[in-house]
Amino acid sequence: MVIDGLKGRDFVSMADLSPGELGGLLTIATQLKCGQLTADCPRKVLGLLFRKASTRTRVSFSVAMVQLGGQVLDLNVQLTQVSRGEPIRDTARVLDRYLDALAIRTYDQGELAEFAHHANMPIINALTDLEHPCQVLADLLTVQEAFGSLEGLTLTYLGDGNNMAHSLMLGCALAGMHIRIATPPDYVPNEDIVLQARALAGDRSEVILTDDPKAAVAGAQILYTDVWASMGQESDAESRIPRFQPYQVNNALLAGCDRDAIVLHCLPAHRGEEITDDVMEGPQSRVWDQAENRMHAQKALLACLLGAI
Ligand code: CP
Ligand code: NVA
């Protein structure tokens, strides 16, 4: 399969993909996973520039690139001149002369946009405060594996209106899935992203915001949650707990979902806060498949951006 036009592109937002490109990437990921397709990126080098901690994203990108026959350079921000204030526009142009692609984890989406503006190589969003699109590629792959297709399914997200909520809204809209986001009233998602997701969804699917967790889960096929305090919000974590308690993914709320519903969490999880241990370890949890799928989905993404497929 060839996805025309993905070669050389940036992936800084879920909305960078068309519905067809998203479907194509998921098909390629499935075929790479089962060995029906192989892709090679010999001598290509992926740089990782992470300002925040990471287990899954760092390791899954590294393994994916090695399995494609390429190499990875894990740039320690503290050891680069970025930490001493070298302008992004200079760093971007220099790294562009060495690397074939760069995955960045940072706070400000604007920093990613600046890298993308000044570098010709693909710039990949490995998480910002605004979005986590690579995670959503793996999430949708996991949902597709569980249900066979995506269109018409309902995903309910409970918790904070954060980067995960944003990329899930955009991803579900592109896939023709309904999404319900249930958050405490003062933790709603970014208004611009809500509007963008609704525009992408058109009349194919719904993007619903609510503060009622029970109504939000009714009949849903996918129940999704994430930490209540994201990286960078640690000082706020304690005070958030009572506000978010009604949105905890537990057996009582899961019982309101479709009987075949699956439970997803991007991880790392705080068991006993946003998700109970028994749901996380229960028969409806798909969190380990979801984590594995980071590698397959990102392998498909890299192969397409680097022009190997
Ligand atoms: N889900 C995710 O991005 O995990 P890491 O923070 O470990 O990369
Ligand atoms: N919302 C979380 C996701 C971690 C993968 C964070 O930004 O910390």
Side-chain angles (χ1 to χ4, degrees):
M1 162 171 308
V2 178
I3 305 189
D4 285 332
L6 268 187
K7 182 179 175 187
R9 291 240 304 261
D10 299 314
F11 183 54
V12 297
S13 165
M14 251 341 264
D16 288 341
L17 298 177
S18 68
E21 288 166 346
L22 172 62
L25 273 176
L26 297 180
T27 302
I28 290 169
T30 304
Q31 293 176 346
L32 288 170
K33 183 174 179 178
C34 72
Q36 201 182 325
L37 183 71
T38 54
D40 290 304
C41 303
R43 292 182 298 283
K44 299 287 184 191
V45 182
L46 169 71
L48 304 178
L49 191 67
F50 283 24
R51 289 189 192 268
K52 299 185 185 188
S54 169
T55 298
R56 279 144 289 269
T57 309
R58 173 181 278 114
V59 178
S60 58
F61 261 119
S62 301
V63 174
M65 196 60 188
V66 168
Q67 289 185 0
L68 287 168
Q71 290 184 33
V72 178
L73 212 55
D74 195 345
L75 302 163
N76 181 335
V77 176
Q78 284 316 114
L79 298 180
T80 68
Q81 299 287 5
V82 171
S83 67
R84 296 179 59 250
E86 183 170 9
I88 296 299
R89 63 184 184 280
D90 295 356
T91 306
R93 281 177 289 182
V94 171
L95 292 180
D96 202 29
R97 302 286 175 112
Y98 307 138
L99 300 169
D100 298 290
L102 180 61
I104 300 172
R105 172 168 286 201
T106 191
Y107 295 85
D108 180 8
Q109 183 81 10
E111 186 181 311
L112 217 65
E114 206 176 342
F115 266 103
H117 182 73
H118 291 286
N120 289 317
M121 65 181 156
I123 299 296
I124 300 169
N125 183 346
L127 182 146
T128 62
D129 289 347
L130 193 69
E131 276 210 56
H132 196 5
C134 291
Q135 177 68 51
V136 171
L137 290 181
D139 300 341
L140 295 179
L141 180 60
T142 312
V143 173
Q144 191 164 279
E145 286 173 348
F147 296 100
S149 59
L150 299 176
E151 196 160 354
L153 295 173
T154 297
L155 184 149
T156 295
Y157 172 93
L158 298 180
D160 186 23
N162 62 13
N163 45 10
M164 278 316 316
H166 295 155
S167 291
L168 282 167
M169 281 194 291
L170 296 170
C172 287
L174 285 173
M177 290 169 64
H178 307 291
I179 181 159
R180 303 175 191 154
I181 305 275
T183 69
D186 37 356
Y187 293 92
V188 293
N190 177 297
E191 220 175 275
D192 292 340
I193 304 250
V194 176
L195 292 176
Q196 199 182 3
R198 287 194 173 136
L200 287 173
D203 52 15
R204 276 210 308 163
S205 62
E206 286 186 316
V207 179
I208 293 173
L209 304 192
T210 176
D211 61 0
D212 180 347
K214 214 167 156 208
V217 299
Q221 284 89 17
I222 304 107
L223 186 53
Y224 199 116
T225 191
D226 181 19
V227 289
W228 291 338
S230 288
M231 288 181 275
Q233 299 171 334
E234 287 80 4
S235 61
D236 218 19
E238 280 298 306
S239 63
R240 286 184 178 218
I241 292 176
R243 303 295 318 283
F244 282 86
Q245 198 58 47
Y247 302 86
Q248 181 189 64
V249 169
N250 52 34
N251 276 317
L253 279 180
L254 184 55
C257 293
D258 188 278
R259 58 189 287 272
D260 296 321
I262 62 169
V263 176
L264 300 180
H265 189 310
C266 58
L267 306 178
H270 291 178
R271 292 162 197 247
E273 291 186 19
E274 77 274 4
I275 188 164
T276 57
D277 185 62
D278 49 1
V279 170
M280 179 104 169
E281 299 294 344
Q284 288 166 279
S285 169
R286 293 288 180 281
V287 300
W288 314 119
D289 294 334
Q290 182 188 4
E292 176 186 334
N293 282 338
R294 294 295 306 275
M295 189 173 66
H296 305 297
Q298 287 157 201
K299 199 188 289 179
L301 178 71
L302 287 169
C304 290
L305 298 183
L306 293 170
I309 285 180

